[in-house]
Amino acid sequence: MIMKSHNTPMGRVFDVFNHIILAVIALAMVVPFMYVIAGSFATESELARRAFFIFPETFSTGAYEYIFSTPTFIRSIGVSVWVTILGTIVSLSLTLMMGYALSKSRLLGKNIVLYLVIFTIIFSGGMIPTYLLVRDLGLLNSLWALILPIAMNPMWLIIVISFFRNLPHELEESAKIDGASDIKIFWSIALPLSKPIIATFTLFYAVQYWGDYFNALLYIADNAKYPVMLLLQNIMTMADVRFGDVDALVEQPDQSLKLAVIVVATLPIMCVYPFLQKHFAKGMLLGSVKG
């Protein structure tokens, strides 16, 4: 009888050691965010006086009152939500359809397309040519400029191709015998079997669009179209930040405002993640390259 390693004394010591290391890593990630949350509810004087704390001495909602007293931040949240939802739908649709097509050996020119995809991983046109392309397409100052330039990630496309290659070929063959077209097979067989990887890349693309500010910095000149991350970047880098269109009676906080904006900007993704987390590891394993 073979005893499992974790049931031996050394195995138990190893498990305890692993738990301690993982607990330290988890605390190193969680504690700073706890400080951000606590600081967003603290007063300016407390933030200036205390270098670090988990619980504020005086509970204050001044930063959040200031944020939601101006339409600027609310408008930025709306822009980010719109870009994230629409961009995720566009990117996921393109990635799944292209990945399914390139997973079929009978597709003419498949290798050429794959080489072009891999080429984009190694080389890119650069910032200036990409800007000129976006300008010539008439996308400057358009929210589509925040979606189309990053609509597909080639690395994630390769994982999706590998996933579709590992689907049972017998299902496709039986569907073809029944007269199903490629589109019907993709919609009725491939997609229902792809729920884990769909959930995984929904999360990936949503985080990508929600956290992107650099494309907005390049392509958006109208501050009414700023996504929340660009607004956050401006708040974090400017010494004196004024949202504009804010009630003059509402006093602007300083440090607590920065921390509150971080909390509000991070909260939507944190709320979505638990619903997709159970599919995350499974989706990545299913899409991995198998020998």
Side-chain angles (χ1 to χ4, degrees):
M1 178 178 178
I2 299 176
M3 184 176 294
K4 294 183 179 179
S5 60
H6 64 268
N7 288 330
T8 64
M10 288 302 297
R12 287 192 289 269
V13 171
F14 182 74
D15 288 343
V16 171
F17 181 76
N18 275 344
H19 282 85
I20 293 174
I21 295 297
L22 291 174
V24 171
I25 295 174
L27 285 174
M29 296 179 180
V30 172
V31 170
F33 190 69
M34 292 176 64
Y35 166 72
V36 171
I37 296 175
S40 68
F41 289 103
T43 60
E44 291 296 304
S45 59
E46 183 176 359
L47 285 169
R49 179 169 43 87
R50 301 175 67 187
F52 179 83
F53 55 89
I54 299 299
F55 300 100
E57 293 177 350
T58 304
F59 188 84
S60 172
T61 59
Y64 293 96
E65 291 175 3
Y66 184 85
I67 287 174
F68 293 105
S69 66
T70 168
T72 304
F73 189 82
I74 305 299
R75 185 169 56 238
S76 295
I77 288 286
V79 170
S80 290
V81 170
W82 187 90
V83 169
T84 300
I85 293 176
L86 184 59
T88 301
I89 293 173
V90 170
S91 295
L92 200 60
S93 300
L94 292 175
T95 303
L96 291 173
M97 289 188 292
M98 187 172 179
Y100 180 77
L102 291 177
S103 68
K104 304 305 174 186
S105 58
R106 66 180 183 274
L107 179 67
L108 294 177
K110 180 196 71 172
N111 291 334
I112 296 176
V113 176
L114 279 176
Y115 289 146
L116 292 175
V117 170
I118 296 173
F119 182 85
T120 63
I121 298 176
I122 305 172
F123 303 100
S124 67
M127 185 192 309
I128 295 177
T130 303
Y131 178 86
L132 295 176
L133 176 62
V134 171
R135 184 199 64 183
D136 292 342
L137 291 174
L139 297 178
L140 286 183
N141 218 31
S142 166
L143 295 183
W144 284 104
L146 307 181
I147 297 175
L148 296 182
I150 55 173
M152 184 178 294
N153 186 300
M155 287 295 297
W156 301 345
L157 174 63
I158 291 174
I159 295 175
V160 171
I161 292 172
S162 176
F163 169 79
F164 281 126
R165 281 177 178 170
N166 292 318
L167 290 180
H169 297 288
E170 294 79 6
L171 294 175
E172 181 178 348
E173 292 172 359
S174 61
K176 284 186 176 180
I177 293 174
D178 293 336
S181 63
D182 287 329
I183 296 177
K184 179 68 174 178
I185 294 172
F186 172 72
W187 185 259
S188 301
I189 297 177
L191 286 185
L193 294 174
S194 308
K195 290 179 181 179
I197 206 165
I198 289 174
T200 299
F201 288 104
T202 296
L203 179 63
F204 279 8
Y205 278 121
V207 171
Q208 169 185 280
Y209 283 111
W210 184 265
D212 178 56
Y213 77 92
F214 189 68
N215 284 323
L217 186 64
L218 290 177
Y219 308 131
I220 304 298
D222 184 1
N223 57 12
K225 297 179 181 179
Y226 279 2
V228 68
M229 287 301 172
L230 180 57
L231 187 64
L232 172 60
Q233 191 266 348
N234 289 338
I235 292 173
M236 298 300 292
T237 55
M238 295 172 62
D240 183 21
V241 178
R242 294 292 170 184
F243 276 123
D245 301 327
V246 67
D247 189 346
L249 298 178
V250 180
E251 182 181 356
Q252 174 180 324
D254 184 14
Q255 295 301 320
S256 60
L257 173 65
K258 296 177 181 179
L259 299 177
V261 171
I262 293 174
V263 172
V264 175
T266 309
L267 193 61
I269 292 297
M270 293 182 63
C271 292
V272 172
Y273 180 77
F275 297 99
L276 301 177
Q277 188 270 339
K278 64 180 180 179
H279 300 291
F280 183 82
K282 184 179 179 182
M284 291 305 295
L285 290 174
L286 288 174
S288 62
V289 178
K290 298 177 174 61

Coordinates of all heavy atoms in Angstrom, one line a residue, residues 140-193:
L140 N -10.6 58.6 -33.7 CA -10.1 59.5 -32.7 C -11.3 60.1 -32.0 O -12.3 60.5 -32.6 CB -9.2 60.6 -33.3 CG -7.8 60.2 -33.7 CD1 -7.0 61.4 -34.2 CD2 -7.0 59.5 -32.6
N141 N -11.2 60.2 -30.7 CA -12.2 60.8 -29.8 C -13.5 60.0 -29.9 O -14.6 60.5 -29.6 CB -12.5 62.2 -30.2 CG -12.7 63.1 -28.9 OD1 -12.2 62.8 -27.9 ND2 -13.6 64.1 -29.1
S142 N -13.4 58.7 -30.3 CA -14.5 57.8 -30.3 C -14.3 56.7 -29.3 O -13.1 56.2 -29.1 CB -14.7 57.2 -31.7 OG -15.6 56.1 -31.6
L143 N -15.3 56.2 -28.6 CA -15.2 55.1 -27.7 C -14.8 53.8 -28.4 O -14.2 52.9 -27.7 CB -16.5 54.9 -26.9 CG -16.9 56.1 -26.0 CD1 -18.1 55.8 -25.2 CD2 -15.7 56.5 -25.0
W144 N -15.0 53.7 -29.7 CA -14.6 52.5 -30.4 C -13.0 52.5 -30.4 O -12.5 51.4 -30.6 CB -15.1 52.5 -31.8 CG -16.6 52.1 -31.8 CD1 -17.6 52.9 -32.0 CD2 -17.1 50.8 -31.7 NE1 -18.8 52.2 -32.0 CE2 -18.5 50.9 -31.8 CE3 -16.5 49.5 -31.4 CZ2 -19.3 49.8 -31.7 CZ3 -17.3 48.4 -31.3 CH2 -18.7 48.6 -31.4
A145 N -12.4 53.6 -30.3 CA -10.9 53.6 -30.2 C -10.4 52.9 -29.0 O -9.2 52.5 -28.9 CB -10.4 55.0 -30.3
L146 N -11.3 52.7 -28.0 CA -10.9 52.0 -26.7 C -11.1 50.5 -26.9 O -10.7 49.8 -26.0 CB -11.6 52.6 -25.5 CG -11.6 54.1 -25.3 CD1 -12.4 54.5 -24.1 CD2 -10.1 54.6 -25.2
I147 N -11.8 50.1 -27.9 CA -12.1 48.7 -28.1 C -11.4 48.0 -29.2 O -10.7 47.0 -29.0 CB -13.7 48.6 -28.3 CG1 -14.4 49.1 -27.1 CG2 -14.0 47.1 -28.7 CD1 -15.9 49.1 -27.3
L148 N -11.5 48.6 -30.4 CA -10.9 47.9 -31.6 C -9.4 47.7 -31.6 O -8.9 46.6 -32.0 CB -11.3 48.7 -32.9 CG -12.9 48.8 -33.1 CD1 -13.1 49.5 -34.4 CD2 -13.5 47.4 -33.2
P149 N -8.6 48.7 -31.1 CA -7.1 48.4 -31.1 C -6.7 47.2 -30.3 O -5.6 46.7 -30.5 CB -6.5 49.7 -30.7 CG -7.6 50.8 -31.0 CD -8.9 50.1 -30.8
I150 N -7.5 46.9 -29.3 CA -7.1 45.8 -28.4 C -8.2 44.7 -28.4 O -8.4 44.0 -27.4 CB -6.9 46.3 -27.0 CG1 -8.1 47.0 -26.4 CG2 -5.6 47.1 -26.9 CD1 -7.9 47.4 -24.9
A151 N -8.9 44.6 -29.5 CA -10.1 43.7 -29.6 C -9.7 42.2 -29.5 O -10.5 41.4 -29.1 CB -10.9 43.9 -30.8
M152 N -8.5 41.8 -29.8 CA -8.1 40.4 -29.7 C -6.7 40.3 -29.2 O -5.8 41.0 -29.6 CB -8.2 39.8 -31.1 CG -7.9 38.3 -31.1 SD -8.1 37.5 -32.7 CE -9.8 37.7 -32.9
N153 N -6.5 39.4 -28.2 CA -5.2 39.1 -27.7 C -4.7 37.8 -28.3 O -5.3 36.8 -28.2 CB -5.3 38.9 -26.2 CG -3.9 38.8 -25.5 OD1 -3.2 37.8 -25.8 ND2 -3.6 39.7 -24.6
P154 N -3.5 37.9 -29.1 CA -3.1 36.7 -29.8 C -2.7 35.5 -28.9 O -2.9 34.4 -29.3 CB -1.8 37.2 -30.6 CG -1.4 38.5 -29.9 CD -2.7 39.1 -29.3
M155 N -2.2 35.8 -27.7 CA -1.8 34.7 -26.8 C -3.1 34.0 -26.3 O -3.1 32.7 -26.3 CB -1.1 35.3 -25.6 CG 0.4 35.7 -25.9 SD 1.4 34.3 -26.3 CE 1.3 33.3 -24.8
W156 N -4.1 34.7 -26.0 CA -5.3 34.1 -25.6 C -6.0 33.3 -26.8 O -6.7 32.3 -26.6 CB -6.3 35.1 -25.0 CG -5.7 35.8 -23.8 CD1 -4.6 35.4 -23.1 CD2 -6.1 37.0 -23.2 NE1 -4.3 36.3 -22.1 CE2 -5.3 37.3 -22.1 CE3 -7.2 37.9 -23.5 CZ2 -5.4 38.4 -21.3 CZ3 -7.3 39.0 -22.6 CH2 -6.5 39.3 -21.6
L157 N -5.8 33.9 -28.0 CA -6.4 33.2 -29.2 C -5.7 31.8 -29.3 O -6.4 30.8 -29.6 CB -6.1 34.0 -30.4 CG -6.5 33.4 -31.7 CD1 -8.0 33.1 -31.8 CD2 -6.1 34.3 -32.9
I158 N -4.4 31.7 -29.1 CA -3.7 30.4 -29.2 C -4.3 29.4 -28.2 O -4.4 28.2 -28.5 CB -2.2 30.7 -29.1 CG1 -1.7 31.4 -30.3 CG2 -1.5 29.3 -29.0 CD1 -0.2 31.8 -30.2
I159 N -4.5 29.9 -27.0 CA -5.1 29.0 -26.0 C -6.5 28.5 -26.4 O -6.8 27.3 -26.2 CB -5.2 29.7 -24.6 CG1 -3.8 30.1 -24.1 CG2 -5.9 28.9 -23.6 CD1 -3.7 30.9 -22.8
V160 N -7.3 29.4 -27.0 CA -8.6 29.0 -27.4 C -8.5 28.0 -28.6 O -9.3 27.0 -28.6 CB -9.4 30.2 -27.8 CG1 -10.7 29.8 -28.5 CG2 -9.7 31.1 -26.6
I161 N -7.6 28.2 -29.5 CA -7.4 27.3 -30.6 C -7.0 25.9 -30.0 O -7.6 24.8 -30.5 CB -6.3 27.8 -31.5 CG1 -6.7 29.0 -32.3 CG2 -5.9 26.7 -32.5 CD1 -5.6 29.7 -33.1
S162 N -6.1 25.8 -29.0 CA -5.7 24.6 -28.4 C -6.9 23.9 -27.7 O -7.1 22.7 -27.8 CB -4.6 24.8 -27.4 OG -4.3 23.6 -26.7
F163 N -7.8 24.7 -27.1 CA -9.0 24.1 -26.5 C -9.9 23.5 -27.5 O -10.4 22.4 -27.3 CB -9.7 25.2 -25.7 CG -11.1 24.9 -25.2 CD1 -11.2 24.1 -24.1 CD2 -12.2 25.3 -25.9 CE1 -12.5 23.7 -23.7 CE2 -13.4 24.9 -25.5 CZ -13.6 24.1 -24.4
F164 N -10.2 24.2 -28.6 CA -11.1 23.6 -29.6 C -10.5 22.4 -30.3 O -11.3 21.5 -30.7 CB -11.5 24.7 -30.6 CG -12.5 25.7 -30.2 CD1 -12.2 27.1 -30.2 CD2 -13.7 25.3 -29.7 CE1 -13.2 28.0 -29.8 CE2 -14.7 26.2 -29.2 CZ -14.4 27.5 -29.3
R165 N -9.2 22.3 -30.4 CA -8.6 21.1 -31.0 C -8.8 19.9 -30.1 O -8.8 18.8 -30.6 CB -7.1 21.4 -31.2 CG -6.7 22.2 -32.4 CD -5.2 22.5 -32.4 NE -4.9 23.2 -33.6 CZ -3.6 23.7 -33.8 NH1 -2.7 23.6 -32.9 NH2 -3.4 24.4 -34.9
N166 N -8.9 20.1 -28.8 CA -9.1 19.0 -27.9 C -10.5 18.5 -27.7 O -10.8 17.6 -26.9 CB -8.5 19.3 -26.5 CG -6.9 19.5 -26.6 OD1 -6.3 18.7 -27.2 ND2 -6.4 20.5 -26.0
L167 N -11.5 19.2 -28.3 CA -12.9 18.8 -28.2 C -13.0 17.5 -29.0 O -12.4 17.2 -30.0 CB -13.8 19.8 -28.8 CG -14.0 21.1 -28.0 CD1 -14.9 22.1 -28.7 CD2 -14.4 20.9 -26.6
P168 N -13.9 16.6 -28.5 CA -14.1 15.3 -29.2 C -14.5 15.4 -30.7 O -15.5 16.1 -30.9 CB -15.2 14.6 -28.4 CG -15.2 15.3 -27.0 CD -14.7 16.7 -27.3
H169 N -13.8 14.9 -31.5 CA -14.1 15.0 -33.0 C -15.3 14.2 -33.3 O -16.0 14.4 -34.3 CB -12.9 14.5 -33.8 CG -11.7 15.3 -33.6 ND1 -11.5 16.6 -34.1 CD2 -10.5 15.0 -33.0 CE1 -10.3 17.0 -33.8 NE2 -9.7 16.1 -33.1
E170 N -15.6 13.2 -32.5 CA -16.8 12.3 -32.8 C -18.1 13.1 -32.7 O -19.0 12.9 -33.5 CB -16.9 11.2 -31.8 CG -15.8 10.2 -31.9 CD -14.5 10.6 -31.2 OE1 -14.5 11.7 -30.6 OE2 -13.5 9.9 -31.3
L171 N -18.2 14.2 -31.9 CA -19.4 15.0 -31.8 C -19.6 15.7 -33.1 O -20.7 15.8 -33.6 CB -19.2 16.0 -30.6 CG -19.2 15.3 -29.2 CD1 -19.0 16.4 -28.2 CD2 -20.5 14.6 -28.9
E172 N -18.5 16.3 -33.6 CA -18.6 17.1 -34.9 C -19.0 16.1 -36.0 O -19.8 16.5 -36.9 CB -17.3 17.8 -35.2 CG -17.3 18.6 -36.4 CD -16.0 19.3 -36.7 OE1 -15.2 19.4 -35.7 OE2 -15.8 19.9 -37.8
E173 N -18.4 14.9 -36.1 CA -18.7 14.0 -37.2 C -20.1 13.5 -37.1 O -20.8 13.5 -38.2 CB -17.7 12.8 -37.1 CG -16.3 13.2 -37.3 CD -15.3 12.0 -37.1 OE1 -15.8 11.0 -36.6 OE2 -14.1 12.2 -37.3
S174 N -20.6 13.3 -35.9 CA -22.0 12.8 -35.8 C -23.0 13.9 -36.2 O -24.0 13.7 -36.8 CB -22.3 12.3 -34.4 OG -22.1 13.4 -33.5
A175 N -22.6 15.2 -35.9 CA -23.5 16.3 -36.2 C -23.5 16.5 -37.7 O -24.5 16.9 -38.3 CB -23.0 17.6 -35.5
K176 N -22.3 16.3 -38.4 CA -22.3 16.5 -39.8 C -23.1 15.4 -40.5 O -23.7 15.6 -41.6 CB -20.8 16.4 -40.3 CG -20.0 17.7 -40.0 CD -18.6 17.6 -40.6 CE -17.9 18.9 -40.4 NZ -16.6 18.9 -41.0
I177 N -23.1 14.2 -40.0 CA -23.9 13.1 -40.5 C -25.4 13.5 -40.5 O -26.2 13.2 -41.4 CB -23.7 11.8 -39.8 CG1 -22.2 11.3 -40.0 CG2 -24.7 10.7 -40.2 CD1 -21.8 10.1 -39.2
D178 N -25.8 14.2 -39.4 CA -27.2 14.7 -39.2 C -27.5 15.9 -40.1 O -28.6 16.4 -40.0 CB -27.4 15.0 -37.8 CG -27.4 13.7 -36.9 OD1 -27.7 12.6 -37.5 OD2 -27.2 13.8 -35.7
G179 N -26.4 16.4 -40.8 CA -26.7 17.5 -41.7 C -26.4 18.9 -41.1 O -26.8 19.9 -41.7
A180 N -25.8 18.9 -40.0 CA -25.5 20.2 -39.4 C -24.4 21.0 -40.1 O -23.4 20.4 -40.5 CB -25.1 20.0 -37.9
S181 N -24.5 22.3 -40.2 CA -23.4 23.1 -40.9 C -22.4 23.4 -39.8 O -22.5 23.2 -38.6 CB -24.1 24.4 -41.4 OG -24.6 25.2 -40.4
D182 N -21.3 24.0 -40.3 CA -20.2 24.4 -39.4 C -20.7 25.4 -38.3 O -20.3 25.4 -37.2 CB -19.0 25.0 -40.2 CG -18.3 23.9 -40.9 OD1 -18.2 22.8 -40.4 OD2 -17.7 24.2 -42.0
I183 N -21.5 26.4 -38.8 CA -22.1 27.4 -37.9 C -22.9 26.7 -36.8 O -22.9 27.1 -35.6 CB -22.8 28.5 -38.6 CG1 -21.9 29.2 -39.6 CG2 -23.5 29.4 -37.7 CD1 -22.6 30.3 -40.4
K184 N -23.8 25.8 -37.3 CA -24.6 25.0 -36.3 C -23.8 24.3 -35.3 O -24.1 24.2 -34.1 CB -25.6 24.1 -37.1 CG -26.5 23.3 -36.3 CD -27.6 24.2 -35.6 CE -28.6 23.3 -34.9 NZ -29.6 24.1 -34.2
I185 N -22.7 23.6 -35.8 CA -21.9 22.8 -34.9 C -21.2 23.8 -33.9 O -21.1 23.5 -32.7 CB -20.8 22.1 -35.7 CG1 -21.5 21.0 -36.6 CG2 -19.8 21.4 -34.8 CD1 -20.6 20.3 -37.5
F186 N -20.7 24.9 -34.4 CA -20.1 25.9 -33.5 C -21.0 26.4 -32.4 O -20.7 26.4 -31.2 CB -19.5 27.0 -34.3 CG -19.0 28.2 -33.5 CD1 -17.8 28.0 -32.8 CD2 -19.7 29.4 -33.4 CE1 -17.3 29.1 -32.0 CE2 -19.2 30.4 -32.7 CZ -18.0 30.3 -32.0
W187 N -22.3 26.7 -32.8 CA -23.2 27.3 -31.9 C -23.8 26.3 -31.0 O -24.1 26.6 -29.8 CB -24.3 28.0 -32.7 CG -25.3 28.8 -31.9 CD1 -26.5 28.4 -31.5 CD2 -25.1 30.1 -31.3 NE1 -27.1 29.3 -30.7 CE2 -26.3 30.4 -30.6 CE3 -24.0 31.0 -31.3 CZ2 -26.4 31.6 -29.9 CZ3 -24.2 32.2 -30.6 CH2 -25.3 32.5 -29.9
S188 N -24.1 25.1 -31.5 CA -24.9 24.1 -30.7 C -24.0 23.1 -29.9 O -24.5 22.5 -28.9 CB -25.9 23.4 -31.6 OG -26.8 24.2 -32.2
I189 N -22.8 22.9 -30.4 CA -21.9 21.9 -29.8 C -20.7 22.5 -29.1 O -20.4 22.3 -27.9 CB -21.5 20.8 -30.8 CG1 -22.8 20.1 -31.3 CG2 -20.5 19.8 -30.2 CD1 -22.5 19.1 -32.4
A190 N -19.9 23.3 -29.9 CA -18.7 23.8 -29.4 C -18.8 24.8 -28.3 O -18.2 24.7 -27.2 CB -17.9 24.5 -30.6
L191 N -19.8 25.8 -28.5 CA -20.0 26.8 -27.4 C -20.5 26.2 -26.1 O -20.0 26.6 -25.0 CB -20.9 27.9 -27.9 CG -20.3 28.9 -29.0 CD1 -21.2 30.0 -29.3 CD2 -19.0 29.4 -28.4
P192 N -21.5 25.3 -26.1 CA -21.9 24.8 -24.8 C -20.8 24.0 -24.1 O -20.9 23.9 -22.8 CB -23.1 23.8 -25.2 CG -23.6 24.4 -26.5 CD -22.4 24.9 -27.2
L193 N -19.9 23.4 -24.8 CA -18.8 22.7 -24.2 C -17.7 23.6 -23.8 O -16.7 23.2 -23.1 CB -18.2 21.7 -25.1 CG -19.1 20.5 -25.5 CD1 -18.5 19.6 -26.6 CD2 -19.5 19.7 -24.3

